[in-house]
Amino acid sequence: MSVLAEILIALAAIMVVSTVTVIVIARVLYRRIRRSRALNGAVLRVRTRVSVGRNHEILRLRLRLRESLASGQAAVDLAVQSGGPHGELQRLVGRLQNEGIRVESQLLLLATERDPVVLRETLPVAARRVDQITGLVGRVRSVVAAGLGVRTDDTLTTLGADVDREIAAVDAGVAELHALTLLDGLPAPERTSMAQTSAHRLDKRSTP
């Protein structure tokens, strides 16, 4: 085999490996892009803005449904992270997401429908289902907000009491330092009397 033939075979192998590598990377990126909720949501928002007619209404319902379900999941996640009461909310949000998947599948099917009579009859039904889901998600968010609000009020009340105690302790310490400073300029008998009075006050303050 000539040297030229070996070079051509090596180049061909390199091209095959490079092509396969590019295809694999492209497929991985494509799958990640398809699974990216943020990117899919951004694409859906853009499509909703530029669409018209029935297609616009279907895309608007899909966008509203996705954003509502995402906000419900975010609220429950926040309640879990903050240690707030969440009970069965996570399970309920999971059920709502399952219903949302079914409703979005119906909307995707409507997007391929070309019969105006069928669209006129079925689109309002899908819109009512989206309204029901978003309403339930709103109730879940209200429950989470109420639970976090109660915890915040209790925490702030406790912090307020702690701050008041610390301020009183600092004020007492400043007063004692001020009294000791005044003692330095007094005669010995008066200094002894005031020192005993300050010590007595300090003992009373420290006694529970």
Side-chain angles (χ1 to χ4, degrees):
M1 184 180 296
S2 65
V3 176
L4 180 59
E6 293 179 356
I7 293 175
L8 291 176
I9 293 174
L11 290 174
I14 292 173
M15 290 180 62
V16 171
V17 172
S18 300
T19 302
V20 172
T21 302
V22 170
I23 292 174
V24 171
I25 293 174
R27 291 185 63 182
V28 171
L29 291 176
Y30 176 72
R31 290 177 180 175
R32 289 186 178 180
I33 289 173
R34 288 193 61 184
R35 294 174 182 174
S36 174
R37 293 184 178 180
L39 184 59
N40 288 336
V43 172
L44 186 58
R45 280 191 291 271
V46 172
R47 290 180 59 193
T48 303
R49 292 193 186 99
V50 300
S51 61
V52 294
R54 295 287 184 181
N55 192 41
H56 173 76
E57 180 63 18
I58 293 172
L59 290 173
R60 186 187 67 80
L61 289 173
R62 288 181 59 198
L63 180 62
R64 182 185 175 201
L65 180 63
R66 284 193 184 186
E67 291 181 342
S68 177
L69 291 171
S71 68
Q73 184 62 58
V76 175
D77 290 343
L78 183 61
V80 173
Q81 293 171 6
S82 63
H86 52 86
E88 296 294 320
L89 292 180
Q90 181 64 65
R91 183 178 60 84
L92 293 176
V93 169
R95 292 174 59 187
L96 286 172
Q97 288 176 341
N98 291 334
E99 292 301 322
I101 292 173
R102 281 191 278 269
V103 173
E104 185 167 10
S105 298
Q106 295 170 359
L107 291 171
L108 288 172
L109 182 62
L110 287 178
T112 63
E113 181 61 59
R114 294 295 175 261
D115 189 341
V117 176
V118 174
L119 281 173
R120 197 162 49 245
E121 292 176 352
T122 56
L123 191 55
V125 177
R128 285 196 297 271
R129 289 169 181 163
V130 173
D131 290 339
Q132 289 177 330
I133 291 176
T134 54
L136 291 173
V137 171
R139 292 171 63 183
V140 169
R141 289 180 58 86
S142 298
V143 171
V144 173
L148 292 178
V150 170
R151 286 177 58 86
T152 301
D153 291 340
D154 293 341
T155 302
L156 290 177
T157 300
T158 302
L159 286 174
D162 292 341
V163 169
D164 291 340
R165 283 194 295 270
E166 289 299 324
I167 291 176
V170 171
D171 289 342
V174 171
E176 292 296 333
L177 289 175
H178 183 64
L180 292 175
T181 302
L182 292 177
L183 289 176
D184 293 338
L186 294 177
E190 296 182 11
R191 185 186 309 171
T192 302
S193 176
M194 291 190 65
Q196 292 174 350
T197 302
S198 298
H200 178 67
R201 290 177 180 175
L202 184 59
D203 290 339
K204 290 181 63 180
R205 189 178 295 113
S206 59
T207 301

